[in-house]
């Protein structure tokens, strides 16, 4: 068995055929190498590993070098994607081999956190990942927003094809990256895939700044306007975007779009009929998962006024004792020899750092041993703060 890193056109005959079989309609109508060639630029900076045997590629995994806001600090993040195995080589531990090596290499390259979208959450839980909140969506008839057409809204709207409005959309995502816990963005080589897509984009501009953006497409007359996340910086930008959707009352039957955390569509208008949901019931709709790859690498993130020693167990990347000190308002991490006040798995630690579980929940789920006093300290050190990833890959 040989593990090596690949790049460029080599992806067309190694990793892409496995990804196509695993995730696409199969067999494809044309050769995989021809079908995927136009997508090569969007993978140019990925860190891709393959496992080979007798010259044949049996498994592949890729890491996308991204950025993510972790409790107010923007850090390098690894987006794990393209995990696929040859159908005759499954259940041989090849993904485990590749994923462990990928995470170690990218941690050593300065990426202290990681996010992925799992085919099955329990599989990646064994690698120290913990489930993050699922993206929520809203579906509604646009005529329910008619009152906004009569409102005096500050700012202006600009409507363009995404290729023309991409710079404004990208500027807004970068702004939200700095403002929202958990928000993640692609590197430039991957982000431009949106620019090259067949979509419209409407942007809201308030006081000379981009205050909202929605990329979308319409499937048919009297059909559905299908939008990505309704991105905005606050009520003014959101209201402008919603007024734009109200103008489609005679064109589409319904609008479906993603929501930012804290958005409550039932409050957008009186008598507004809307369905809001977070779907994790069907294949391909699993929520994202995240994990910490390096505690030293998250030194400096916001933390509560507490200091304590923990031990991370059963994890090759994180195993050891650490003294965590948030008394100065930011986290200081040092290696420790003192007895630990709590014992955590990588998933348990990740749940606390990402702010998705209370320490009591961590213990109840078997992700750590946390005495009552330690639970109080960890709760103050890492207050629950649900993250929102946004980027999907």
């Amino acid at each position: 068995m040989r593990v090596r890193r690949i790049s460029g056109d080599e992806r067309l005959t190694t990793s892409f055929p496995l990804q196509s079989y695993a995730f696409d309609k199969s067999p494809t109508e044309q050769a995989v190498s021809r079908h995927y060639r136009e997508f090569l630029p969007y993978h140019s900076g990925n860190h891709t590993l393959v496992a080979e045997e007798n010259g044949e590629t049996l498994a592949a995994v890729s890491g996308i070098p991204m950025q993510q806001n972790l409790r107010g600090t923007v850090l390098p993040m690894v987006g794990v994607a393209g995990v696929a195995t040859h159908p005759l080589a499954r259940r041989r531990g090849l993904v485990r081999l590749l994923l462990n090596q990928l995470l170690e290499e990218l941690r050593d390259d300065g990426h202290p956190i990681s996010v992925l979208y799992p085919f099955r959450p329990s599989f990646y839980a064994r690698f120290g990942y913990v489930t993050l909140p699922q993206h929520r969506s809203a579906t509604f008839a646009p005529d329910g927003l008619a009152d906004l057409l009569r409102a005096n809204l500050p700012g202006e709207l600009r409507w363009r094809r995404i290729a023309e409005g991409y710079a404004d959309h990208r500027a807004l995502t970068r702004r939200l990256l700095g403002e929202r816990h958990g928000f993640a963005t692609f590197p430039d080589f991957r982000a431009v895939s949106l620019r090259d897509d067949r979509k419209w984009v409407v942007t809201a501009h308030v006081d000379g700044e981009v205050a909202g953006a929605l990329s979308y497409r319409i499937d048919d007359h009297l059909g559905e306007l299908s939008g990505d996340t309704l991105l905005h910086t606050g009520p003014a930008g959101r209201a402008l975007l919603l007024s734009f959707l109200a103008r489609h009352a005679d064109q589409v039957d319904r609008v479906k779009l993603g929501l930012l955390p804290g958005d409550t569509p039932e409050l957008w208008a009186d008598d507004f009929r809307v369905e809001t949901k977070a779907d994790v019931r069907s294949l391909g709709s699993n929520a994202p998962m995240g994990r910490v790859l390096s505690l030293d690498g998250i030194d400096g993130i916001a933390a509560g006024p507490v200091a304590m020693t923990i031990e991370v167990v059963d994890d090759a990347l994180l195993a050891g004792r650490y003294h965590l000190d948030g008394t100065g308002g930011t986290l200081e991490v040092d290696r420790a020899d003192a007895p630990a006040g709590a014992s955590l798995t990588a998933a348990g630690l990740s749940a606390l750092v990402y702010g998705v579980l209370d320490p009591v929940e961590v213990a109840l789920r078997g992700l750590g041993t946390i005495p009552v006093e330690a639970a109080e300290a960890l709760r103050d050190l890492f207050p629950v703060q649900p993250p929102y990833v946004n980027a999907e890959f």
Side-chain angles (χ1 to χ4, degrees), residues 24-152:
D24 296 341
K25 180 180 179 180
S26 189
T28 55
E29 296 181 359
Q30 56 185 341
V32 170
S33 59
R34 181 181 176 188
H35 175 72
Y36 272 87
R37 181 169 291 280
E38 65 178 296
F39 300 112
L40 268 176
Y42 310 139
H43 297 260
S44 60
N46 287 0
H47 190 109
T48 301
L49 300 178
V50 296
E52 298 174 327
E53 191 173 69
N54 299 322
E56 184 176 17
T57 304
L58 298 184
V61 60
S62 288
I64 308 169
M66 302 175 63
Q67 289 185 304
Q68 185 176 31
N69 182 314
L70 187 66
R71 294 187 178 270
T73 299
V74 177
L75 297 172
M77 182 270 278
V78 182
V80 176
V83 181
T85 308
H86 190 290
L88 296 181
R90 293 172 181 172
R91 308 290 181 176
R92 288 178 51 183
L94 298 181
V95 166
R96 175 173 292 276
L97 172 70
L98 292 179
L99 187 56
N100 284 337
Q101 182 168 327
L102 178 78
L103 295 181
E104 182 177 0
E105 290 181 2
L106 286 170
R107 177 206 61 181
D108 294 345
D109 196 36
H111 296 78
I113 50 179
S114 175
V115 167
L116 54 77
Y117 286 82
F119 72 93
R120 188 173 69 249
S122 60
F123 177 85
Y124 288 102
R126 299 196 293 268
F127 291 90
Y129 284 86
V130 66
T131 299
L132 307 181
Q134 175 62 305
H135 299 167
R136 295 163 56 246
S137 67
T139 304
F140 54 88
D143 59 5
L145 299 170
D147 286 349
L148 287 172
L149 296 177
R150 295 182 288 274
N152 184 20

Side-chain angles (χ1 to χ4, degrees), residues 42 46 64-67 77 79 81 117 166 170 173-174 177 183-194 390-393:
Y42 310 139
N46 287 0
I64 308 169
M66 302 175 63
Q67 289 185 304
M77 182 270 278
Y117 286 82
Y166 171 75
R170 180 70 165 161
T173 59
R174 285 174 170 156
L177 171 67
F183 201 93
T185 59
F186 290 118
D188 287 340
F189 70 83
R190 176 63 179 266
V192 294
S193 63
L194 176 63
N390 186 59
E392 297 186 10
F393 45 92

Side-chain angles (χ1 to χ4, degrees), residues 76-303:
M77 182 270 278
V78 182
V80 176
V83 181
T85 308
H86 190 290
L88 296 181
R90 293 172 181 172
R91 308 290 181 176
R92 288 178 51 183
L94 298 181
V95 166
R96 175 173 292 276
L97 172 70
L98 292 179
L99 187 56
N100 284 337
Q101 182 168 327
L102 178 78
L103 295 181
E104 182 177 0
E105 290 181 2
L106 286 170
R107 177 206 61 181
D108 294 345
D109 196 36
H111 296 78
I113 50 179
S114 175
V115 167
L116 54 77
Y117 286 82
F119 72 93
R120 188 173 69 249
S122 60
F123 177 85
Y124 288 102
R126 299 196 293 268
F127 291 90
Y129 284 86
V130 66
T131 299
L132 307 181
Q134 175 62 305
H135 299 167
R136 295 163 56 246
S137 67
T139 304
F140 54 88
D143 59 5
L145 299 170
D147 286 349
L148 287 172
L149 296 177
R150 295 182 288 274
N152 184 20
L153 303 177
E156 63 172 349
L157 289 164
R158 299 177 190 172
W159 171 66
R160 294 159 285 181
R161 286 188 177 270
I162 188 63
E164 300 166 2
Y166 171 75
D168 283 340
H169 189 283
R170 180 70 165 161
L172 180 60
T173 59
R174 285 174 170 156
R175 177 177 173 180
L176 293 174
L177 171 67
E179 296 177 353
R180 284 186 170 268
H181 169 54
F183 201 93
T185 59
F186 290 118
D188 287 340
F189 70 83
R190 176 63 179 266
V192 294
S193 63
L194 176 63
R195 178 199 65 192
D196 300 337
D197 205 351
R198 291 189 296 274
K199 289 186 177 181
W200 296 103
V201 65
V202 56
T203 53
H205 300 256
V206 179
D207 295 330
E209 293 189 341
V210 184
L214 177 67
S215 50
Y216 69 94
R217 59 168 55 96
I218 297 174
D219 65 2
D220 205 351
H221 181 61
L222 300 182
E224 180 176 280
L225 186 154
S226 179
D228 297 319
T229 302
L230 187 77
L231 299 174
H232 61 82
T233 60
R238 182 180 61 212
L240 281 168
L241 295 178
L242 294 177
S243 73
F244 175 81
L245 296 175
R247 291 172 167 83
H248 292 74
D250 296 322
Q251 183 179 354
V252 299
D253 175 68
R254 63 194 175 277
V255 173
K256 181 177 181 180
L257 46 75
L259 298 171
L260 288 174
D263 276 351
T264 50
E266 62 273 19
L267 305 180
W268 287 348
D270 293 332
D271 300 326
F272 185 49
R273 299 184 182 277
V274 57
E275 178 186 30
T276 305
K277 66 178 181 179
D279 184 11
V280 293
R281 299 172 299 172
S282 56
L283 185 65
S285 67
N286 288 321
M289 302 182 78
R291 74 153 284 169
V292 175
L293 303 179
S294 167
L295 265 170
D296 297 325
I298 66 171
D299 189 290
I301 67 171

